[in-house]
Amino acid sequence: MDKIMLMLLKVITLIILSFSFMSKAENLERIAIFPFKSNGIDTSNSLHFVELLKKAINESKQYKIMKHSIMITILSYNGYRIDRGDHFCYDDECAYVMGEFLSVNKVVQGYLKKRGNNFSINMRFMDLEKEEYLIDTTEYFYGTFEELQLNKIPKLARMINQSTRDRDLAIKSKEKRISKFKINIARNRSRFGLLQLSKGSLNQAIRYFESALNIDLKTHGEEHPDVARDYNNLGLAWASKGKYDKA
């Protein structure tokens, strides 16, 4: 009986913790930052490094980062241990499985290595929904661990905070370039159509005008001067053929 009550208590606690995290993160993108694996660095120092990284990322107010205690509770309930250095998550399959349990769209993984005073940090910022790395970088540093934290944590946090914005700007820029490219194609085909119309090549003119119209409709919609121009040119071409019902 006691075991059943304990299990029910764990389930209720899990639900409350998950709901609390999700409700607070409603207006922010949710991410989980896993403890970094380490080689040559104490687990406690590795955990401290990640906590400082979380604080630096939080300053941008761009993400809602899952608390370490909540993450441990949810994953432990599902049979995963991330509170021990030898169980830290550092592969794609682990990231996807844990991300699904945690209900997050993005996760951060890392690996800290030290040899003498030489450090290396590999950090991956993964978009689980789009199945891609937003960041996969390795940083190198020579000095003490304290100097490493002061030097590299702000940079890593900036990279994470900027990655989504940079990608969104790149997508918008690409969409703008594509749209401009299509507009130019439509206008050129309209010009070619007028040239063919002046030469009496009516079928060729109609093909150019129809192509321009299809592009402009997809790019602008019905209510646009370029679309009205295409309809007018197409009407002239059909009228020239004596097809007044299509003009």
Side-chain angles (χ1 to χ4, degrees):
M1 188 65 179
D2 289 340
K3 289 184 178 180
I4 295 175
M5 289 300 295
L6 183 60
M7 182 64 71
L8 286 173
L9 183 61
K10 285 183 177 180
V11 172
I12 292 170
T13 303
L14 176 63
I15 292 171
I16 292 172
L17 289 172
S18 299
F19 180 77
S20 173
F21 174 71
M22 290 167 64
S23 61
K24 290 178 182 177
E26 187 174 354
N27 296 320
L28 294 174
E29 190 163 21
R30 293 173 289 133
I31 67 172
I33 301 180
F34 300 137
F36 284 17
K37 285 181 72 70
S38 58
N39 186 331
I41 299 172
D42 291 339
T43 299
S44 59
N45 284 334
S46 176
L47 291 171
H48 183 63
F49 183 93
V50 172
E51 288 305 310
L52 291 177
L53 178 61
K54 289 179 183 179
K55 289 180 181 178
I57 295 168
N58 264 332
E59 290 178 1
S60 73
K61 307 296 183 183
Q62 184 175 344
Y63 299 108
K64 176 64 181 179
I65 302 174
M66 177 171 279
K67 291 182 178 179
H68 185 71
S69 57
I70 295 176
M71 189 159 54
I72 288 177
T73 300
I74 295 173
L75 293 177
S76 295
Y77 179 77
N78 286 282
Y80 285 85
R81 296 286 302 278
I82 63 165
D83 54 339
R84 287 166 40 191
D86 57 338
H87 282 72
F88 289 172
C89 182
Y90 191 68
D91 61 71
D92 292 354
E93 183 179 356
C94 172
Y96 280 103
V97 172
M98 291 191 179
E100 186 174 345
F101 285 138
L102 298 172
S103 299
V104 294
N105 298 322
K106 294 182 173 69
V107 300
V108 177
Q109 299 172 307
Y111 201 156
L112 281 167
K113 293 182 182 180
K114 179 188 176 186
R115 179 173 293 181
N117 287 327
N118 292 294
F119 293 88
S120 66
I121 311 167
N122 177 253
M123 184 183 73
R124 299 172 182 168
F125 187 26
M126 301 174 65
D127 188 323
L128 304 180
E129 193 174 23
K130 292 184 170 59
E131 298 184 349
E132 64 180 8
Y133 290 119
L134 299 176
I135 299 171
D136 186 359
T137 185
T138 301
E139 296 285 323
Y140 299 95
F141 185 78
Y142 180 85
T144 66
F145 188 70
E146 289 73 20
E147 291 170 338
L148 169 77
Q149 294 176 124
L150 289 171
N151 186 275
K152 291 300 179 181
I153 285 176
K155 181 178 180 180
L156 294 173
R158 283 195 302 272
M159 291 172 67
I160 289 175
N161 287 329
Q162 291 173 1
S163 62
T164 302
R165 290 197 296 268
D166 290 346
R167 187 185 64 178
D168 290 343
L169 287 173
I171 290 171
K172 289 179 181 178
S173 177
K174 182 179 179 181
E175 288 174 347
K176 189 174 181 180
R177 291 197 304 271
I178 291 172
S179 178
K180 187 175 181 180
F181 178 72
K182 289 180 177 179
I183 289 169
N184 288 334
I185 288 178
R187 289 176 178 173
N188 284 331
R189 290 183 181 178
S190 182
R191 293 191 194 100
F192 288 145
L194 289 171
L195 178 62
Q196 296 302 319
L197 184 62
S198 67
K199 292 167 60 177
S201 301
L202 301 180
N203 290 334
Q204 189 73 5
I206 288 170
R207 280 196 289 271
Y208 279 123
F209 292 145
E210 286 179 338
S211 178
L213 176 62
N214 288 333
I215 293 171
D216 284 331
L217 281 171
K218 291 177 181 178
T219 305
H220 304 299
E222 286 280 354
E223 304 295 327
H224 194 275
D226 287 358
V227 174
R229 175 206 64 203
D230 298 333
Y231 277 125
N232 183 64
N233 289 340
L234 196 54
L236 287 173
W238 283 115
S240 297
K241 287 192 71 173
K243 302 284 186 177
Y244 298 104
D245 57 322
K246 293 185 177 183

